[in-house]
Amino acid sequence: MRAERGHRILAGTESGLSVISGAEQFQVHELAGREITALARGDRAWWAIVEGRAIWRAVDGGAWREVATLEKWTATCLLPLATGLYVGTESAHLLRLVFHPSRGALAPVPSFEEAEGRNEWYTPWGDPADIRSMAVDRARAIYVNIQVGGVVRSRDGGRSWKPTLDIETDVHQVIVHPPRPGVVLVAAAVGFGASRDGGSSWQFYTKGLHATYLRAVAVSEETVRVTASTGPGSRRNAVYRKALEGDDPFERCR
C-alpha cells in the first residue's frame, strides 16, 4: 500500500489495484483480477509488480501499461531511480530496466552478482535468499535488503556493493528518512535498527516491545512505527511507535 500526493492511497491486492481518494474507492480496470505484489512511486510514475512476473507503469494521469516481463525469476520489490528502475527478485538477483517510452527489457546487474559476502546469504529453510526491500537516500546511496543477507549498500550508482551489518540480524525491511541523507532504518528479527551514517554503524532498540521480531518499519517526520510479533505466523503481534531520536521505549499503538 502506498500514499500519493493529494491523499490518494493505492492498495495492491490479490484481485487487483484499488485507489482510495477521500470517501471514494475504485478498482483500476487494466489490472482487475490480477495480483499486485509491490508498488513504488517514481518522480512522474507509479510502478507495480503484477503476478510476480510483469512490471507495469502508469505515468501521472495516464493508464497502466505493461512495460517488461521477467523470464527466470519472480519479482519481489521495486526501486525507481532517475537512471532507471531496479527490480529485486527471489534468489537475490537485482535487475535493471532503463526507462523507455514504451516497452523495455530487464537485465541483471553484474556487480550485484559479485557483491561482497554474497556466498554467505541463506534462508533457514534451505532456499536461496531473496531481496526483500530496497531504498535510496538523498545522497543517492542505494540500500538493498536480502533475507538472510543483511543490507548491502552502493555509493557509486550500483557499480559496487558492500555489506553494512551482520547478516544474522535477519533484516526484513530497509527504508531511509526522506529528507535526511545517511539515516537508514531497518525492521529485523532482533529489533529496530537505526544508522545515522549511511550504514557504517548501527544501534538496535527493543525497549518496550513485547517481542523483537519486526517485519515492517515506517517513519513520519520524527516518529518511527514498527510491527512486532513473536515470530513468523504468530498471532501475538502489535504496532509500536517511538521518537526517532533518543532512547525512549516503544509505545504500543492502541
Side-chain angles (χ1 to χ4, degrees), residues 92 112 121 129-133 144-152 171:
F112 196 79
W121 302 346
D130 298 335
I131 294 179
R132 290 293 304 270
S133 60
V144 178
N145 155 220
I146 304 97
Q147 189 190 21
V148 175
V151 175
V152 296
V171 174

Side-chain angles (χ1 to χ4, degrees), residues 198-230:
S200 296
S201 63
W202 293 85
Q203 295 80 43
F204 279 82
Y205 304 86
T206 60
K207 191 186 303 181
L209 299 174
H210 78 284
T212 65
Y213 190 89
L214 309 186
R215 289 300 298 266
V217 56
V219 63
S220 176
E221 297 180 350
E222 297 304 311
T223 301
V224 171
R225 291 173 177 82
V226 299
T227 61
S229 73
T230 53

Side-chain angles (χ1 to χ4, degrees), residues 91-106:
S91 300
H93 297 289
L94 185 62
L95 311 180
R96 185 170 179 265
L97 172 69
V98 178
F99 293 155
H100 293 291
S102 56
R103 192 172 182 83
L106 291 160

Side-chain angles (χ1 to χ4, degrees), residues 116-214:
E116 182 180 335
R118 182 182 178 93
N119 61 347
E120 299 175 1
W121 302 346
Y122 74 99
T123 59
W125 49 91
D127 290 340
D130 298 335
I131 294 179
R132 290 293 304 270
S133 60
M134 300 183 287
V136 60
D137 68 15
R138 293 185 67 183
R140 298 184 181 177
I142 303 168
Y143 303 90
V144 178
N145 155 220
I146 304 97
Q147 189 190 21
V148 175
V151 175
V152 296
R153 176 190 65 207
S154 177
R155 287 176 167 169
D156 56 10
R159 291 186 292 274
S160 65
W161 303 87
K162 297 289 185 181
T164 65
L165 44 67
D166 188 335
I167 67 172
E168 297 302 332
T169 55
D170 191 7
V171 174
H172 300 135
Q173 186 181 9
V174 61
I175 65 171
V176 298
H177 196 299
R180 295 174 60 178
V183 176
V184 190
L185 312 175
V186 298
V190 298
F192 164 68
S195 174
R196 293 165 179 82
D197 54 12
S200 296
S201 63
W202 293 85
Q203 295 80 43
F204 279 82
Y205 304 86
T206 60
K207 191 186 303 181
L209 299 174
H210 78 284
T212 65
Y213 190 89
L214 309 186

